[in-house]
Amino acid sequence: MQEIIIEEHCAGQRVDAFLAAHLSVSRSRAQRLLNGATINGGVVKLSHTLREGDVLHLAPVAEVAPMVEAPLDLKLPPLPPVLFEDEHLMVIDKPRGLTVHPGAGERMATLVDVLRAADKPLSTVGPPERAGIVHRLDKDTSGVIIVCKTDAAHWKLAEDFAARRLTKTYNTIVCGVPPMRGRIEAPIERHATHRKKFAVLPQGKDAVTEYAVTQKWRKFSFLEVNLLTGRTHQIRVHLTYVNHPIVGDPLYGGDKRALDSAGDAEVIAALQLLRGQALHAAKIAFTHPISGEILQCEAPLPDDMTRIVAALDSTK
């Protein structure tokens, strides 16, 4: 059985809500996984409130999940560049524009579809349409993402993500020039009226983002960003909150502001070739869930962001 020891920062949560967040699965999927589970040696009640030191044991899931085939008319992109691979996991450089797993609404090609088409084995902890996925990137964010091939790797990495034992570093281009270093601590919650957006709201979940300006121009800056928490849209929301939205971000206003600020024709041309926010998951450092090896994987800056940097450099 899989053992999870509850740490201090997880105390106070309902066990089903904790497991859903821990494994990045739906609440109903978490409740099914708790069937046959024990906590501190006793039967798990879904309403159980976790305490630090609680020991949760989950029954093993089926080794092979039902296949979820992509629609026949769905055109699949090639397998993205693989930065690391062994029998337990892969680290992939996801391109901008590729959805990680299916969501509500229109069905489009996903990273899961591409991996299945490439005959890659995938973990079965989550629902079949999210096979192998232990964390995610927004569709229009590029860069490093870990995919699990085995359930053992998935369980351990899910625990490491929940305990924030991994280090993720992002690169982004933002509007304006913020202070050279900053720490943004502001709670994030889904927007009250725009259901696709998130916002800084008093009742939101704690969120902490740190950044450093590594290059600056008159009206734009290149940032290295580290996440200390992992809320949905966190970097995009926090940078918008401090009035430096990400270039090209249509949801948070960075696309229009960037074009209005560009001035130079070469910069405008580079911005118009960008499809989505100029946000790239550049590095991830973690302990291999099976071997214990320390791994650091890095994805090069994509061409669309490199083009913008070159255009901005030409205006200096």
Side-chain angles (χ1 to χ4, degrees):
M1 299 185 83
Q2 174 66 31
E3 179 180 277
I4 302 173
I5 299 175
I6 304 305
E7 299 189 4
E8 180 182 6
H9 70 275
C10 298
Q13 300 182 48
R14 270 181 54 131
V15 63
D16 55 346
F18 159 78
L19 192 62
H22 186 72
L23 297 176
S24 296
V25 299
S26 67
R27 180 75 71 92
S28 60
R29 172 68 175 174
Q31 291 171 348
R32 290 195 296 273
L33 289 171
L34 287 167
N35 287 333
T38 64
I39 192 158
N40 304 326
V43 175
V44 177
K45 294 182 179 180
L46 299 182
S47 59
H48 176 82
T49 300
L50 295 173
R51 294 169 295 181
E52 182 182 3
D54 280 352
V55 180
L56 177 65
H57 285 103
L58 298 174
V61 295
E63 287 298 321
V64 179
M67 287 290 288
V68 176
E69 299 289 352
L72 293 176
D73 59 349
L74 201 62
K75 184 177 180 180
L76 297 180
L79 182 70
V82 176
L83 305 173
F84 173 86
E85 183 175 12
D86 65 10
E87 66 269 32
H88 299 288
L89 58 88
M90 304 171 65
V91 182
I92 288 171
D93 181 4
K94 185 190 82 70
R96 196 180 324 282
L98 179 61
T99 301
V100 172
H101 57 69
E106 183 181 357
R107 182 72 163 94
M108 60 184 66
T110 69
L111 178 59
V112 173
D113 294 327
V114 172
L115 292 166
R116 288 198 187 282
D119 291 325
K120 297 293 183 181
L122 299 172
S123 65
T124 63
V125 172
E129 65 271 17
R130 299 190 183 194
I133 303 303
V134 69
H135 70 123
R136 63 183 295 276
L137 293 175
D138 293 338
K139 174 187 173 184
D140 291 325
T141 297
S142 59
V144 289
I145 184 169
I146 303 172
V147 174
C148 294
K149 292 181 171 182
T150 65
D151 288 355
H154 194 130
W155 283 115
K156 183 60 173 67
L157 277 174
E159 181 181 333
D160 288 347
F161 271 105
R164 303 168 191 164
R165 298 187 187 113
L166 296 85
T167 301
K168 294 180 286 183
T169 303
Y170 292 77
N171 292 146
T172 186
I173 306 170
V174 301
C175 300
V177 181
M180 293 303 289
R181 288 187 174 275
R183 178 183 173 99
I184 307 167
E185 297 186 55
I188 291 176
E189 182 61 272
R190 189 176 293 277
H191 195 282
T193 57
H194 194 313
R195 302 307 292 168
K196 290 187 176 182
K197 293 178 69 172
F198 288 76
V200 170
L201 295 169
Q203 70 273 24
K205 295 179 180 179
D206 291 344
V208 184
T209 303
E210 294 182 339
Y211 74 85
V213 177
T214 60
Q215 194 170 358
K216 62 181 180 178
W217 302 273
R218 192 165 62 88
K219 293 187 177 181
F220 298 93
S221 303
F222 190 96
L223 273 54
E224 184 174 279
V225 181
N226 291 310
L227 289 179
L228 279 69
T229 54
R231 308 305 177 201
T232 302
H233 293 188
Q234 179 174 320
I235 297 175
R236 300 165 67 186
V237 172
H238 270 177
L239 290 173
T240 300
Y241 176 66
V242 296
N243 199 32
H244 297 288
I246 295 175
V247 164
D249 190 342
L251 193 58
Y252 295 97
D255 54 346
K256 184 178 186 303
R257 179 168 163 185
L259 286 170
D260 289 346
S261 302
D264 184 85
E266 185 177 347
V267 175
I268 292 173
L271 291 172
Q272 289 174 334
L273 292 172
L274 180 66
R275 296 292 180 263
Q277 61 271 6
L279 180 61
H280 176 66
K283 301 175 188 175
I284 193 164
F286 62 102
T287 301
H288 191 288
I290 307 301
S291 71
E293 178 186 2
I294 303 299
L295 297 176
Q296 179 167 302
C297 299
E298 185 169 355
L301 197 68
D303 290 345
D304 52 10
M305 290 179 66
T306 300
R307 189 181 300 114
I308 294 170
V309 169
L312 289 167
D313 281 344
S314 72
T315 66
K316 284 185 174 179

